Amino acid sequence: MTDPAAPSHSSGASASSEPRRRETVHEARVEGFGTVRVVPVDPARDIDLLHDWVTRERARFWGMLDHTREQVLETYEYLDSLSTHHAFLIHLDDRPVALFQTYEPDADPVGEYYEVRPGDYGLHLMTGPADGGARPGFTDALLTVFLTRLLAEDPGRRRIVAEPDARNQKAVSRLLRTGFVLGPEIELPHKRARLVFLDRDAFLARIASRPS
């Protein structure tokens, strides 16, 4: 994950991470998969869930393995205060299963390491633990729903940008399967990243060509 900046001090808050109904910014019923809902992260309410997910070894490329609960809360409270960065939990049939974050590259450190185009929009993705066991096509389905939502929300978003850790071949391969294309590797302050890009028109044409 790329932090736009580090806040100067922490603030304390805690809440249960039990999934309860809240504002839904997008909902889609996927045949044979379930109902996918996109809800904004509420840092205080979701802190137990967030801290559990980002500090597991499977999330090592997220860059927060050694973060305390207070540091994770501080980070997401700071992101929540910005108009250029947003965090969302993806629920499948009312169970949180993934964390997505979006950002405007011009307002993020990554924008200093490549030539930002008008209409670029950044994305981070982390799936939650597969407590019920791995499910084929799981992440691809969630990613497709979320990308469709991002592009439908704003026609000005012409290209989605992601910059997974260059060592995270699993994440890179997942994005390529969804329609992203490889860009260059860049040396960020906290990691060597592989840029990948998703063209709006190509993605929407791909979705429209799928059998209904």
Side-chain angles (χ1 to χ4, degrees):
M1 185 182 72
T2 303
D3 282 344
S8 59
H9 62 283
S10 63
S11 58
S14 63
S16 170
S17 61
E18 288 296 319
R20 304 188 303 272
R21 279 285 175 176
R22 68 177 86 177
E23 175 192 6
T24 297
V25 298
H26 182 70
E27 183 170 323
R29 174 70 185 173
V30 181
E31 188 66 31
F33 188 68
T35 299
V36 179
R37 292 193 305 117
V38 181
V39 300
V41 164
D42 179 332
R45 179 173 173 175
D46 297 320
I47 182 56
D48 292 333
L49 177 71
L50 294 171
H51 183 254
D52 177 38
W53 283 10
V54 304
T55 56
R56 294 196 186 199
E57 173 60 25
R58 65 183 300 278
R60 61 192 180 280
F61 293 118
W62 203 251
M64 302 179 77
L65 282 185
D66 61 349
H67 278 44
T68 65
R69 187 177 183 278
E70 290 70 26
Q71 288 172 319
V72 174
L73 177 61
E74 182 181 13
T75 296
Y76 282 93
E77 285 183 333
Y78 177 67
L79 290 176
D80 193 48
S81 74
L82 303 176
S83 62
T84 55
H85 294 66
H86 304 282
F88 303 91
L89 282 173
I90 310 301
H91 288 223
L92 177 61
D93 296 330
D94 289 328
R95 181 173 67 91
V97 294
L99 172 65
F100 283 80
Q101 293 175 201
T102 63
Y103 62 91
E104 295 176 17
D106 274 335
D108 191 90
V110 73
E112 300 174 13
Y113 293 86
Y114 86 102
E115 186 175 348
V116 180
R117 294 182 187 174
D120 278 1
Y121 201 67
L123 171 71
H124 301 297
L125 157 69
M126 182 177 66
T127 56
D131 294 330
R135 185 173 173 183
F138 181 81
T139 305
D140 293 353
L142 294 180
L143 187 54
T144 296
V145 169
F146 193 70
L147 288 168
T148 301
R149 180 255 171 185
L150 284 185
L151 297 176
E153 183 182 53
D154 185 348
R157 293 172 184 163
R158 304 305 308 171
R159 190 171 68 158
I160 303 299
V161 180
E163 69 326 318
D165 192 297
R167 299 167 296 173
N168 192 352
Q169 287 304 309
K170 184 177 180 180
V172 173
S173 296
R174 177 190 301 137
L175 291 164
L176 295 181
R177 286 198 306 271
T178 311
F180 284 78
V181 297
L182 288 175
E185 289 191 2
I186 57 174
E187 198 69 48
L188 297 173
H190 60 293
K191 69 178 181 182
R192 184 165 184 80
R194 165 68 79 172
L195 285 172
V196 292
F197 302 98
L198 181 75
D199 178 77
R200 175 192 182 88
D201 293 338
F203 176 75
L204 294 180
R206 178 175 176 170
I207 296 300
S209 67
R210 290 182 176 179
S212 57

